[in-house]
Amino acid sequence: MLGKDYEAQDCSLARALEVIGERWTLLILRDAFFGVRRFNDFHVHLDIPKAVLSDRLSGLVEDGILEREPDPEHAGRHLYELTAAGRDLWPALHALLVWGDHHRAPNSRVFKHASCGTPLDDHGDCATCGMTPAPQDILTEPHRGRRALRHDPVATVLRAPHRLLEPIET
Amino acid sequence: MLGKDYEAQDCSLARALEVIGERWTLLILRDAFFGVRRFNDFHVHLDIPKAVLSDRLSGLVEDGILEREPDPEHAGRHLYELTAAGRDLWPALHALLVWGDHHRAPNSRVFKHASCGTPLDDHGDCATCGMTPAPQDILTEPHRGRRALRHDPVATVLRAPHRLLEPIET
DNA sequence: ACCGTGGGTTCACTGATTGAACTCGTCTGC
DNA sequence: GCAGACGAGTTCAATCAGTGAACCCACGGT
């Protein structure tokens, strides 16, 4: 989003939008929840210009949403992981996914409670267990019968069922 | 948000962002939930350039989020009201408000279940009644003891407790 | 007829995004 | 030990979106 601040607005929504309101930011965070952690994985999966990705990632790190740490397996590389504040964005992200699923792209992806397999309702709740699973207890996979649009390595990996926040291997 | 589409992303989040991801859009919708319906009220409350406001309002109408109808009291004027699809965005908006409230601007605004007065929890639920009130059953007011930043007529009206979606009088 | 207000549109300026090209440090294979 | 590939950026010109001031028109009141 252009001009990232809304300082004249005295409202917690305006403050939230200053963090996640810019173009690409929420898609980056979606991928982060799906387990993407490397610069190049974000890049190939999102078709985002590297300059913008670089800018967004450092902005998110600065805002305390992501943490950048050295990759133990590859000298000179980094991993971007969600902080606690970043993980707290899951309900908002899920609500938007649900809205898009209802009104624009039906049945694109399924979220289930990992411990019992029940699909989450629109509220993000597990009806069987009567609770709201945290992201790390949610299993996700694309809806069956869906034709894949993307064929990059990250999209392929994300087509297998896996837990949110669990790092993907490419 | 710049460049409004994310067509390469096969994801309901991308579709949702094409609708509400542009700069100002979510603040316009917040005001719509708060009862703002007239072009000028949005304009004085948001400090948004008229050209952008005009563009966003017609975009939201085109996307089926708002409905533009003639103002019965003033010939030649219009009212913008949320459609059912627009009202369905409330959970996402509320989740972002909650996040901003927790992490950026504590205690900015209170939401209560209109029928029992219980403040909603972070999930948007009423603990007393064990349900999730729809927007029209939610009462909102600024948090007490908060100093007002804005002094336009719309901000003044919004400082009084009122139900979501209930048209404001300026 | 004149003025003020609401609801826009137009336009020049500024700032953000894009994508291609370039850099620099590691790793991999020979 | 060196060449080439790869990951992770940075730089830069062209393009596109947002900004705000100025302008326009319709209506209502005096």
Side-chain angles (χ1 to χ4, degrees), chain A residues 54-77:
Chain A
S54 180
D55 182 71
R56 292 298 180 277
L57 287 174
S58 38
L60 288 167
V61 169
E62 201 170 311
D63 287 338
I65 308 301
L66 295 178
E67 199 166 5
R68 171 179 149 139
E69 46 190 61
D71 182 340
E73 293 170 24
H74 302 276
R77 302 192 198 172

Side-chain angles (χ1 to χ4, degrees), chain B residues 59-123:
Chain B
L60 287 167
V61 168
E62 201 169 312
D63 286 339
I65 309 300
L66 295 177
E67 199 166 5
R68 172 179 150 139
E69 46 189 62
D71 182 341
E73 293 171 25
H74 301 276
R77 303 191 196 173
H78 300 97
L79 299 176
Y80 296 89
E81 309 226 35
L82 285 160
T83 63
R87 293 192 297 273
D88 279 355
L89 281 164
W90 174 249
L93 205 59
H94 183 253
L96 281 172
L97 278 161
V98 166
W99 188 89
D101 196 65
H102 277 0
H103 294 278
R104 298 293 137 128
N107 300 317
S108 63
R109 196 167 259 275
V110 185
F111 298 95
K112 297 177 178 171
H113 189 189
S115 58
C116 72
T118 313
L120 302 187
D121 65 18
D122 291 350
H123 230 74

Side-chain angles (χ1 to χ4, degrees), chain A residues 1-3 23-24 49 51-52 56 75:
Chain A
M1 193 174 292
L2 268 182
R23 183 155 158 77
W24 295 113
V52 177
R56 292 298 180 277

